[in-house]
Amino acid sequence: GTIAGRPGAILAGADAFEITLTGVGGHGAMPHLTVDPILAASSIVTSLQSIVSRNISPLDSGVVSVTVVQAGEAFNVIPDKAVLKGTIRALSTEALVELRSKVESLTRGVGEAHGCSVSISFWKDFYPPTVNDPELWDFASGVAADVSVDGTVRDEPPTMGAEDFSFIAEAVPSTFFLLGQGSASSPHPPSSYGLHHPQFAIDEDVLPIGSQLHVELALKTLEMLNAAA
């Protein structure tokens, strides 16, 4: 029931990539007669981790995560293809575009050095960072403080999660709040697992607080507009 947030960037911009490496398949006992896409894919996975540590300023934030590795089906066959999928994240559009460029150039360089042909694709439209309008934040956070169980809005550093709400925030001044939940208490199932964890469960007792926040923001906004009319 705690409400949190901050003015400025609160969530990262995000893009996704899919890399296909095509080599020459063959018998696992005769690797010299193949072009092994698994070896190339392994080198790319480890090399991608150098982008954030060596190409992004330590004062900026960036993430490159490979989350899918697909190749082969038999223990004694070197496949002719390997696929990598993953995500990149950054707190500014400029940094996200730079990460995207670095991922592509490094992938092509490493893959071709291993003798593979390389194709890489990204989302047509990446998610921009979610940015809370500083002026609107002063108003909205005051309303949210009255709703939060703490009686205040907790200052929360940016997270590298992403939201399609960011497209709205790009078009009009907006605020995005975080509503805290997480309890191991009965009778609810444990709700202290993080998002996308296989045992994630939401504590539905916090939902009325979120609803109240929406209602209070609407009512206070109407009051403010009527007073200004």
Side-chain angles (χ1 to χ4, degrees):
T2 298
I3 298 174
R6 68 187 300 273
I10 181 67
L11 298 173
D15 203 347
F17 59 83
E18 181 171 335
I19 300 163
T20 301
L21 301 158
T22 304
V24 177
H27 202 294
M30 305 171 190
H32 60 293
L33 301 179
T34 72
V35 176
D36 189 349
I38 294 180
L39 180 60
S42 300
S43 296
I44 289 171
V45 170
T46 55
S47 296
L48 286 175
Q49 304 313 307
S50 69
I51 293 176
V52 171
S53 66
R54 290 298 177 265
N55 297 114
I56 300 297
S57 168
L59 302 179
D60 294 331
S61 297
V63 170
V64 179
S65 290
V66 178
T67 56
V68 175
V69 180
Q70 298 172 332
E73 295 181 354
F75 77 94
N76 61 343
V77 177
I78 293 174
D80 64 351
K81 186 178 295 183
V83 176
L84 303 174
K85 299 179 184 179
T87 184
I88 57 176
R89 309 288 173 110
L91 290 176
S92 71
T93 297
E94 294 76 15
L96 187 66
V97 171
E98 178 68 11
L99 280 177
R100 182 172 174 161
S101 174
K102 294 294 185 184
V103 166
E104 180 167 9
S105 61
L106 186 149
T107 295
R108 292 193 184 280
V110 174
E112 290 170 1
H114 282 270
C116 292
S117 62
V118 180
S119 68
I120 180 169
S121 61
F122 297 88
W123 280 343
K124 181 180 179 181
D125 297 308
F126 59 77
Y127 284 21
T130 301
V131 179
N132 283 333
D133 180 77
E135 184 175 344
L136 187 58
W137 176 259
D138 291 339
F139 161 75
S141 61
V143 177
D146 292 335
V147 177
S148 175
V149 295
D150 291 346
T152 185
V153 174
R154 183 181 300 177
D155 184 61
E156 187 74 12
T159 172
M160 301 308 284
E163 253 291 332
D164 52 9
F165 181 80
S166 59
F167 292 105
I168 297 175
E170 255 194 343
V172 295
S174 303
T175 54
F176 185 93
F177 290 101
L178 304 174
L179 177 58
Q181 70 100 43
S183 170
S185 62
S186 174
H188 304 291
S191 57
S192 52
Y193 293 101
L195 188 63
H196 296 324
H197 188 282
Q199 297 186 55
F200 174 80
I202 190 170
D203 182 353
E204 295 185 1
D205 287 346
V206 307
L207 296 181
I209 298 173
S211 299
Q212 183 184 356
L213 175 58
H214 281 84
V215 171
E216 292 294 334
L217 285 169
L219 292 175
K220 296 296 184 183
T221 299
L222 289 173
E223 290 178 9
M224 182 176 63
L225 293 174
N226 288 332

